[in-house]
Amino acid sequence: MESMEFDLLIKNGTIVTPEDAYKGNIYIKNGKIAAITNDELRSDVGEVVDANGKFVFPGFIDTHVHSRDPGATYKEDFYHSTQAAAAGGVTTVFEMPNTNPPVNNVENFRKQVANLKSKAFVNFGVWGICLGHLNMKEYEKLHHAGVIGFKFFWGYAVHSETFQLIYNYKPGMKDVIPPFADGEIYEMFQEVAKTGQIFAIHAENHDLIQRLTQKVEDRNGRTYMDLLEGRPSLAEELTIQSGIAMAKKTGARLHILHVSTAEGIELVRQAQKEGYPITAETCPHYLFLSAEDYDHIGPQMKVYPPIKYKKDQEALWDALQDGTISHVCSDHAPHTEEEKAGDLWSIPAGMCGVETMAPLMLNAVNEGKISIHDIVHLLSEGPAKLFNLYPNKGVIRIGADADITIVDMNKEHTIKRNELHSKSKVTAFDGFKVKGVPEQTIVGGTIVMRDGEIIGPPTGKFIAPNASN
Ligand code: DOR
Ligand code: ZN
């Protein structure tokens, strides 16, 4: 059989850029965008998608996903999380390194890439983890091998045998390496700075949290306000402040993960004004929820850092508007429904997010909070540029990877936990009504999702833009 001139045509859609939107036909061949035209070409096309009345975006990128694979696959795995991603219009995810084993050296990195490859419905990058002296000699090697960036869980203790993170560390715990002190953290900054890669931190001051939480527990405080008293905005502020100071000295490309406070984002804004390459992300739960929502949502909304107050939410929207925040990601961190069913104090922090991120952000466009062009900036171009994927990804142009998300901005949808594609259906957004829904997800020229259904096998590719071999 004669091969087609093009594999796929997306016709009549409105192609969205950070400043503009235009009608066009996108022709795809061998996983790449081969042509963009006003008129239809006289040529053979394998498959045609009519995107008339729809918006066509460079595929959404979620830089912050915990699929827990390998290690805690009873909570989630890559087979499920990447279907959830595709269902939510996401064409690339970056997998977090706090797996078991963690991505702490090249051997575990290679094993992880092999593990994820066969289950990937979308493209994926893999983070490396920084565990102080335990793996400081590995950063350079991990960098060359192809990690997407380095993550440091500031203030978290580590299990001495498995290198697993301890989420609620208390002094005196057994088989535990306590949280790294500032001297060692400074060395990590220096070592990661040498690689030139992003150094991403979970920013919460454990010392303050331990002390304040103990006080709250001693008086039997167990409400959401008590949780915030034990884990206040100051915890984030202090760590971001230290991080910025260390980044200024070392030249590290500091990135603040899931910023949740007005104070924290203001520090980032100031550092950026001074010209330092410091960036920040936030997540839908910090943008759409605040402490007041606890009364009707309940413990499901427990995440670390915790969702703060309305004033923080407003400051984060301002930071999206003025560009202080480089992109939005989900911090997809599922736990089982049983684990999340207990009381606020005992349950783990984290919830699903990769599938609901884009619908929530698109709804914000319909509500007039941001523009349709901001979506490109926050979910496609922004992350692509920050992580060195641009212009292969993050833009619709000839020669780019054919990762494309087609959106119906008029479609209304109610988020329902039972319809999520994740293994554990845990979300604070159950029952949320949104207008603006990803209708088709195209990964490397293959249609992976249509009308919420996953179609076809996992064809996602591993991406390592910084690898040297
Ligand atoms: O809420 C959270 N859950 N925050 C984190 O930083 C980690 C995550 C997890 O892995 O469960
Ligand atoms: Zn996370």
Side-chain angles (χ1 to χ4, degrees):
M1 224 181 72
E2 206 184 320
S3 81
M4 294 285 175
E5 206 171 341
F6 298 106
D7 303 323
L8 178 66
L9 161 62
I10 302 166
K11 68 174 186 183
N12 295 328
T14 300
I15 300 166
V16 194
T17 79
E19 295 86 28
D20 205 2
Y22 61 98
K23 271 234 165 197
N25 304 311
I26 303 171
Y27 289 84
I28 293 164
K29 175 77 178 171
N30 295 334
K32 303 266 185 199
I33 296 173
I36 304 171
T37 67
N38 285 325
D39 301 319
E40 261 187 76
L41 301 175
R42 287 171 190 267
S43 54
D44 291 335
V45 174
E47 191 172 358
V48 180
V49 170
D50 190 350
N52 192 23
K54 309 289 158 63
F55 289 91
V56 181
F57 290 90
F60 300 145
I61 298 169
D62 189 346
T63 61
H64 193 149
V65 172
H66 301 264
S67 304
R68 318 225 183 269
D69 187 343
T73 47
Y74 66 95
K75 295 176 194 258
E76 179 68 307
D77 59 31
F78 210 56
Y79 189 76
H80 285 83
S81 71
T82 55
Q83 290 188 58
V90 170
T91 55
T92 297
V93 299
F94 296 169
E95 178 63 12
M96 279 297 171
N98 56 321
T99 43
N100 190 1
V103 184
N104 58 338
N105 58 40
V106 171
E107 187 191 343
N108 284 337
F109 169 75
R110 296 232 160 91
K111 279 190 195 155
Q112 175 62 323
V113 173
N115 167 50
L116 299 181
K117 220 165 217 166
S118 62
K119 311 171 191 173
F121 284 84
V122 300
N123 303 315
F124 66 101
V126 174
W127 286 92
I129 199 164
C130 291
L131 298 171
H133 63 281
L134 297 172
N135 76 332
M136 215 169 300
K137 295 270 174 292
E138 305 294 328
Y139 304 165
E140 193 66 28
K141 292 180 232 170
L142 280 165
H143 161 55
H144 291 299
V147 293
I148 200 75
F150 289 93
K151 170 149 183 190
F152 172 48
F153 288 82
W154 199 315
Y156 281 63
V158 181
H159 192 279
S160 54
E161 306 281 303
T162 64
F163 296 160
Q164 290 304 289
L165 300 174
I166 313 289
Y167 285 92
N168 292 298
Y169 169 72
K170 297 219 160 99
M173 279 178 162
K174 274 186 62 166
D175 302 319
V176 163
I177 296 164
F180 303 110
D182 284 356
E184 201 166 343
I185 295 171
Y186 184 55
E187 274 184 62
M188 283 191 256
F189 270 82
Q190 290 175 312
E191 290 305 309
V192 175
K194 283 184 197 163
T195 70
Q197 288 229 51
I198 293 275
F199 188 51
I201 62 166
H202 178 120
E204 285 187 296
N205 182 294
H206 71 100
D207 205 47
L208 187 79
I209 288 170
Q210 264 170 53
R211 225 178 157 86
L212 297 182
T213 301
Q214 191 59 52
K215 263 192 168 165
V216 169
E217 287 179 356
D218 288 348
R219 63 166 170 73
N220 262 316
R222 294 292 186 274
T223 67
Y224 193 76
M225 289 305 162
D226 295 325
L227 185 93
L228 289 185
E229 202 177 310
R231 230 179 159 93
S233 298
L234 182 62
E236 182 172 278
E237 187 181 357
L238 286 175
T239 302
I240 292 179
Q241 200 164 44
S242 302
I244 288 174
M246 292 195 196
K248 285 180 177 177
K249 278 275 177 289
T250 58
R253 287 173 66 201
L254 179 64
H255 178 70
I256 319 293
L257 299 160
H258 43 47
V259 176
S260 67
T261 63
E263 292 84 350
I265 204 64
E266 182 55 27
L267 289 168
V268 174
R269 182 179 287 118
Q270 288 313 319
Q272 288 177 351
K273 276 194 186 143
E274 293 167 31
Y276 292 97
I278 290 164
T279 53
E281 66 185 34
T282 193
C283 316
H285 39 269
Y286 303 115
L287 292 168
F288 299 103
L289 305 176
S290 65
E292 290 107 271
D293 291 302
Y294 185 79
D295 286 345
H296 63 100
I297 294 175
Q300 298 282 322
M301 71 182 245
K302 180 177 177 184
V303 289
Y304 287 163
I307 294 161
K308 309 293 193 313
Y309 304 98
K310 203 81 195 171
K311 73 159 178 57
D312 300 291
Q313 190 188 89
E314 283 160 11
L316 293 170
W317 281 105
D318 290 344
L320 284 190
Q321 294 287 1
D322 74 8
T324 307
I325 289 174
S326 61
H327 65 284
V328 169
C329 57
S330 73
D331 196 7
H332 182 75
H335 299 281
T336 67
E337 285 146 77
E338 295 73 34
E339 286 168 329
K340 273 303 245 199
D343 66 278
L344 175 64
W345 229 252
S346 60
I347 62 170
M351 62 166 116
C352 293
V354 71
E355 188 166 349
T356 50
M357 173 178 73
L360 288 164
M361 295 306 292
L362 293 166
N363 185 57
V365 173
N366 272 321
E367 287 184 338
K369 284 200 168 85
I370 49 174
S371 77
I372 196 134
H373 311 289
D374 293 334
I375 293 287
V376 182
H377 176 68
L378 294 170
L379 299 183
S380 308
E381 188 192 279
K385 282 189 168 164
L386 184 59
F387 290 90
N388 215 6
L389 301 173
Y390 191 88
N392 282 326
K393 298 192 189 296
V395 57
I396 292 181
R397 58 153 199 117
I398 294 169
D401 296 339
D403 294 345
I404 291 168
T405 307
I406 303 176
V407 167
D408 185 342
M409 284 305 289
N410 294 318
K411 190 167 174 182
E412 296 184 24
H413 174 70
T414 303
I415 295 171
K416 295 196 186 84
R417 56 185 298 150
N418 287 332
E419 290 176 4
L420 295 180
H421 287 73
S422 281
K423 206 164 183 177
S424 311
K425 297 163 195 329
V426 170
T427 173
F429 295 106
D430 187 37
F432 261 62
K433 289 189 171 56
V434 294
K435 186 173 175 190
V437 180
E439 190 167 74
Q440 298 205 38
T441 306
I442 295 157
V443 177
T446 302
I447 303 172
V448 176
M449 183 278 283
R450 185 184 288 138
D451 295 327
E453 298 289 322
I454 305 302
I455 50 178
T459 59
K461 287 203 176 74
F462 171 60
I463 47 170
N466 306 308
S468 61
N469 47 357

